Amino acid sequence: QGLWDREALINDNNIFLVEPNSDLNFALRIGELIEDRKKFEFVAENGRRVVQHQYSSAIFANKLLKICN
C-alpha cells in the first residue's frame, strides 16, 4: 500500500501531481494554482481530509503495530 494509494490520492481532487524531475512542469503547476485560487482551495481541503481520515499519526501507528506483530 505505502504512501501512494491510487484509490485515495487522486490528481486534481486531493493532490497535485507533476512529472518527476521536471522543473518546468512544477513551475507551470504552481502558476496554474496561483491563477485558480478556487481549485487550489478545493484540492487543499480534500487533501487535508484524506490525510486526517486515512493517514493520521494514530492510523499510521496502528498499521505499523500490525506489521510488527
Side-chain angles (χ1 to χ4, degrees):
Q1 186 166 308
L3 176 62
W4 181 245
D5 181 349
R6 293 181 187 272
E7 292 180 20
L9 301 175
I10 302 166
N11 190 35
D12 290 328
N13 182 26
N14 55 28
I15 193 170
F16 295 113
L17 299 175
V18 296
E19 292 294 321
N21 303 315
S22 176
D23 296 341
L24 176 60
N25 284 340
F26 187 71
L28 290 172
R29 184 61 135 173
I30 290 172
E32 176 187 332
L33 299 175
I34 289 170
E35 294 290 322
D36 191 345
R37 185 70 184 182
K38 284 185 179 182
K39 182 177 188 175
F40 169 77
E41 290 174 358
F42 171 81
V43 175
E45 180 61 27
N46 287 341
R48 185 181 64 78
R49 280 193 209 116
V50 168
V51 169
Q52 285 179 328
H53 292 109
Q54 295 186 23
Y55 301 105
S56 70
S57 57
I59 292 170
F60 179 76
N62 284 333
K63 286 182 180 181
L64 189 57
L65 283 173
K66 287 179 184 177
I67 291 170
C68 293
N69 288 332

